[in-house]
Amino acid sequence: MLPDQRKNIFVIGMDEANLRTLEAVPNADEYRLHQLFSIEELQEEAITVDGLMSRARAVLDSHEGSIDAIVGYWDFPVSTLVPMLSREYGTTSTSLASVVKCEHKYWSRLEQQKVIDEHPRFGMVDLESSDPQPPEGVSFPMWLKPALSYSSELAFGVNDMTEFRSAVTEIRGGIARVGEPFEAVLDLVELPPEMAGVGGRVCLAEETMTGIQVAVEGYVHDGEVTVYGVLDSINYPNSSSFLRHQYPSTLPAPVIQQLHDVSARTMRQIGMESATFSIEYFYDPKTGGISLLEINPRHSQSHAELFEFVDGVANHHRMFSLALGRDPALQPGLGDYQVSAKWYYRWFGEGRVHQVPTADEIAAIEREIPGVRIDMVPAEGQRLSTVGGQDSYSYEIAHIFTGGKDEGDLRHKFDRCIAALGLTFDETEPGERGRNTA
């Protein structure tokens, strides 16, 4: 295809870590990818939606040629910029309202309870109160979280009132960072009566869910909801932090079907169209029940390599296809491996990481161990608490993707990668986030 005949696709937050899989999707030679904002630009402290929209318009208006699609695979503000810009520039996207119904955790729960029972008891916490209390009917243990946050920031599991008050203090201090710009987006959509006065700086309390965590990936095309993948999410022992995501799921077929059904009902209620989604659940093997944790109005870029290893095509393909008005259906199981995983190598205490391998050294490890890809998170000597986008209990050191013939093969490759990386740490403070395990 001639260069001037390629489809111009603007990717909000296009990053180096995903570039390899973005450029390897089917029909990649028909696309011309353009970065619209770096990750750093999207996470600036003084971020405003109006400011980002103005800067995006400047780039798009100066572009010589067609604007065929505007896409993104990150949470707010990317998830909301996609429909806002798509509406202005006439490209295909779901509605802004459908995205906000997913992103705003409280509004999302209100929508879910209209069509499903598979969710925990929940309610709002009054952050302005001098003596904040758990919502009526919501019992310990519970999770406190802002209506919107990055990568589980300011999300705390609490077991009693002492922990509850401590979490409220932390959330009060940091909720405006994302909540304030999110309120500017809320002003652009029509809110139902039950959302009147709620705003974006609200704290949600939900009863703790137990069992096996599961991720469901799907899309909506021509009004039909399709689930194309279910993944297991396994935590570190005695921790709420992910150890790995594994594809495909090992859950029984009836449970997989139930996940499909609940996801379809929920996304129809949300009103999503021409877009991908990712929903996280808990499955309790003792009761056989499932419970919906949260809905993401985009596919998970964390899973791109997992689908590529097993199905032969990264999930980015579906994002591109939908944005171009095409049917994204694919035949599964055409990859080089039977199973795949994304591993999180974590450190559970403050410190600095040393002997971080260079890009060439990482490439050498990937060549030595087939079916492996490594992305480092902190830079050489970086204090771990300065790394953005971390959960409340650990620090991510590396993301290690593995493809293999079975689960044992995946773990063996992960262990080989950890040994080959040869990282060392200086603990500068006591391990506030727990003990270090691998």
Side-chain angles (χ1 to χ4, degrees):
M1 176 175 286
L2 296 174
D4 59 354
Q5 294 179 325
R6 290 182 296 174
K7 298 292 186 181
N8 290 294
I9 301 177
F10 287 81
V11 185
I12 305 178
M14 185 166 70
D15 58 323
E16 189 66 30
N18 279 283
L19 192 57
R20 185 190 310 186
T21 48
L22 288 167
E23 294 179 336
V25 300
N27 307 314
D29 60 338
E30 300 177 9
Y31 306 151
R32 186 179 175 202
L33 305 184
H34 306 266
Q35 183 190 58
L36 189 57
F37 297 116
S38 67
I39 297 300
E40 291 73 25
E41 290 174 312
L42 292 163
Q43 295 181 345
E44 293 172 356
E45 288 295 326
I47 185 175
T48 67
V49 173
D50 285 345
L52 289 173
M53 287 290 289
S54 295
R55 289 159 63 183
R57 291 187 192 105
V59 173
L60 295 169
D61 290 345
S62 65
H63 171 68
E64 296 183 1
S66 62
I67 299 173
D68 299 295
I70 300 172
V71 300
Y73 42 76
W74 301 104
D75 293 325
F76 181 82
V78 174
S79 57
T80 51
L81 289 175
V82 169
M84 292 169 68
L85 290 169
S86 293
R87 181 175 180 180
E88 286 193 21
Y89 289 88
T91 58
T92 300
S93 169
T94 191
S95 68
L96 177 62
S98 67
V99 169
V100 176
K101 287 177 186 178
C102 298
E103 290 279 28
H104 194 292
K105 291 181 173 62
Y106 181 68
W107 192 2
S108 184
R109 289 297 190 206
L110 295 179
E111 291 298 310
Q112 292 165 36
Q113 69 179 4
K114 295 176 182 178
V115 291
I116 66 171
D117 297 320
E118 293 84 353
H119 59 78
R121 287 183 286 189
F122 66 95
M124 288 189 293
V125 176
D126 184 1
L127 294 179
E128 302 302 319
S129 171
S130 58
D131 183 26
Q133 297 291 322
E136 184 177 353
V138 180
S139 304
F140 292 112
M142 67 181 68
W143 278 84
L144 299 188
K145 59 187 74 172
L148 184 72
S149 65
Y150 296 131
S151 300
S152 298
E153 281 185 0
L154 298 179
F156 299 94
V158 298
N159 297 296
D160 53 38
M161 282 303 299
T162 299
E163 293 180 357
F164 179 91
R165 293 190 180 100
S166 176
V168 166
T169 300
E170 290 278 347
I171 293 171
R172 274 177 179 160
I175 197 169
R177 175 177 171 244
V178 180
E180 185 173 346
F182 190 41
E183 288 182 338
V185 175
L186 284 174
D187 290 340
L188 301 176
V189 300
E190 184 177 351
L191 300 175
E194 61 265 32
M195 280 293 293
V198 173
R201 284 175 278 189
V202 60
C203 177
L204 183 69
E206 301 179 338
E207 288 189 356
T208 298
M209 291 167 271
T210 60
I212 300 168
Q213 197 161 344
V214 188
V216 169
E217 293 231 7
Y219 60 85
V220 187
H221 177 63
D222 285 345
E224 183 177 345
V225 181
T226 299
V227 170
Y228 60 82
V230 179
L231 307 90
D232 295 332
S233 298
I234 295 95
N235 291 344
Y236 277 81
N238 303 313
S239 169
S240 61
S241 299
F242 288 133
L243 170 62
R244 71 179 185 274
H245 305 299
Q246 186 168 315
Y247 176 67
S249 173
T250 59
L251 294 180
V255 178
I256 299 291
Q257 186 58 54
Q258 186 182 9
L259 291 166
H260 282 232
D261 294 344
V262 172
S263 298
R265 272 185 280 143
T266 301
M267 298 318 296
R268 282 195 291 267
Q269 175 64 31
I270 293 293
M272 182 167 281
E273 177 56 64
S274 301
T276 57
F277 62 84
S278 177
I279 308 179
E280 296 178 38
Y281 292 89
F282 275 90
Y283 164 66
D284 188 341
K286 295 179 180 178
T287 65
I290 65 171
S291 190
L292 195 156
L293 175 59
E294 66 180 21
I295 308 170
N296 300 301
R298 43 84 188 156
H299 69 285
S300 175
Q301 56 85 26
S302 289
H303 301 157
E305 287 84 0
L306 277 64
F307 286 101
E308 186 174 47
F309 280 146
V310 174
D311 294 335
V313 179
N315 53 2
H316 295 314
H317 158 76
R318 294 175 173 90
M319 172 186 69
F320 287 151
S321 295
L322 290 163
L324 293 169
R326 302 171 179 172
D327 187 340
L330 283 171
Q331 182 178 346
L334 299 182
D336 295 330
Y337 301 97
Q338 284 69 52
V339 293
S340 58
K342 176 184 180 179
W343 301 82
Y344 295 82
Y345 179 34
R346 298 181 182 271
W347 194 252
F348 287 78
E350 175 63 291
R352 299 180 191 273
V353 62
H354 297 286
Q355 296 180 287
V356 174
T358 64
D360 288 343
E361 290 169 335
I362 289 176
I365 296 171
E366 293 175 344
R367 287 192 299 270
E368 181 182 346
I369 310 172
V372 160
R373 180 178 169 186
I374 301 169
D375 290 332
M376 295 300 304
V377 179
E380 171 65 36
Q382 184 175 7
R383 185 183 176 91
L384 296 179
S385 58
T386 67
V387 180
Q390 304 285 351
D391 68 24
S392 301
Y393 299 99
S394 67
Y395 302 105
E396 296 175 12
I397 306 301
H399 301 153
I400 300 175
F401 303 86
T402 60
K405 61 183 179 181
D406 53 32
E407 187 174 310
D409 195 20
L410 298 178
R411 178 169 284 279
H412 177 65
K413 290 182 179 181
F414 172 66
D415 291 340
R416 286 183 65 189
C417 288
I418 295 298
L421 287 174
L423 302 173
T424 61
F425 300 85
D426 288 340
E427 275 205 62
T428 57
E429 295 178 8
E432 296 177 356
R433 296 198 176 199
R435 58 191 179 85
N436 297 293
T437 58

